[in-house]
Amino acid sequence: MSKEEDKLLDHSYDGIQEFDNPMPTWWVGLFVLTIIWAVVYLFYFEFTGMGPTQLEEYHSELAAAEKLYGGGDNGDQAQIEIALMTSAEDIAEGEKIYKMNCASCHGQTGEGSIGPNLGDKFWKHGGDFKSIVNTITHGVPEKGMIAWEPILKTKKIVQVSSYIDQKFRNTNPPNGKAPEGEEYQGE
Ligand code: HEC
């Protein structure tokens, strides 16, 4: 950049004089660009309505997600019946869900560690299928068992409950944790 001579302005107030120090050209250029940008922006988003608003973006993302994951939660949940699943696929799904989310506290074979034994006849919160689904859905947060509903949703909860019912119930796994709760006589 060439060195400019500072120009002394030709006025003087109470003996105080001023230099004329304009902003650098590149800076003024940027400033003008932002003004042009603002005008373009205003036309694109506000006056012509060509650009999507945040609300429109939100709705289109929501629609895309619904397409991808299939419908809203409530619609989805309502269609699932809380009943024991016995198909090999559902049990295999249940096993996957169990190993990933539950085995750390209830043991690989349901023998229990932080959480209770799931392979004995004793249940703290009821041993019938619906009670098991219910415990997993709502959890026992004050005892360290979270509510799984927000994470797994109904179908996966029914699958993992079916896995527990079919593969752990009354198997008395080795190194089992001492029984807790009431004996369940059914099934
Ligand atoms: C952070 C540890 C932890 C994890 C992870 C966990 N649980 Fe639990 N679970 C517990 C504890 C602790 C209890 C006992 C609550 C009580 O004392 O009332 C429990 C209780 C239960 C019960 C009730 C047992 C009974 O005797 O009535 C079931 C069923 C159960 N868990 C299933 C699951 C499933 C399925 C998962 C995975 C989706 C899971 N748990 C993940 C800690 C855990």
Side-chain angles (χ1 to χ4, degrees):
M1 234 183 281
S2 64
K3 196 166 184 305
E4 281 177 45
E5 281 291 305
D6 285 327
K7 260 186 281 161
L8 201 57
L9 296 178
D10 61 0
H11 56 239
S12 154
Y13 301 106
D14 297 333
I16 297 171
Q17 283 181 288
E18 235 189 322
F19 281 127
D20 179 16
N21 280 337
M23 301 300 289
T25 324
W26 64 264
W27 194 98
V28 176
L30 264 185
F31 178 61
V32 171
L33 257 175
T34 63
I35 295 173
I36 295 168
W37 182 259
V39 172
V40 172
Y41 187 97
L42 212 63
F43 265 94
Y44 186 62
F45 285 104
E46 292 295 329
F47 299 148
T48 65
M50 275 157 71
T53 62
Q54 285 192 333
L55 194 65
E56 284 162 0
E57 279 184 2
Y58 168 75
H59 284 308
S60 73
E61 278 181 31
L62 205 66
E66 264 171 28
K67 235 171 136 189
L68 198 60
Y69 299 110
D73 270 346
N74 290 336
D76 211 10
Q77 301 264 59
Q79 293 157 14
I80 291 160
E81 208 191 326
I82 311 275
L84 185 65
M85 294 171 165
T86 51
S87 79
E89 299 91 79
D90 285 321
I91 300 298
E93 252 337 283
E95 178 171 10
K96 260 194 238 156
I97 297 161
Y98 182 84
K99 297 236 154 99
M100 194 165 7
N101 301 289
C102 326
S104 52
C105 286
H106 290 281
Q108 288 293 327
T109 55
E111 75 275 14
S113 65
I114 295 165
N117 191 328
L118 301 174
D120 59 13
K121 285 186 191 306
F122 293 84
W123 299 87
K124 293 179 92 169
H125 302 281
D128 59 291
F129 186 72
K130 289 230 159 93
S131 297
I132 294 173
V133 170
N134 193 48
T135 312
I136 298 166
T137 302
H138 302 293
V140 193
E142 67 278 10
K143 294 286 177 59
M145 164 78 177
I146 64 164
W148 288 92
E149 162 121 83
I151 300 162
L152 297 178
K153 304 285 184 299
T154 306
K155 183 170 178 207
K156 289 185 173 169
I157 290 175
V158 174
Q159 284 170 329
V160 75
S161 303
S162 301
Y163 173 69
I164 291 169
D165 188 283
Q166 302 282 290
K167 299 293 176 184
F168 293 161
R169 184 192 281 286
N170 303 343
T171 54
N172 295 315
N175 306 317
K177 195 177 179 186
E180 293 168 88
E182 304 278 313
E183 182 166 3
Y184 178 66
Q185 308 279 3
E187 295 173 69

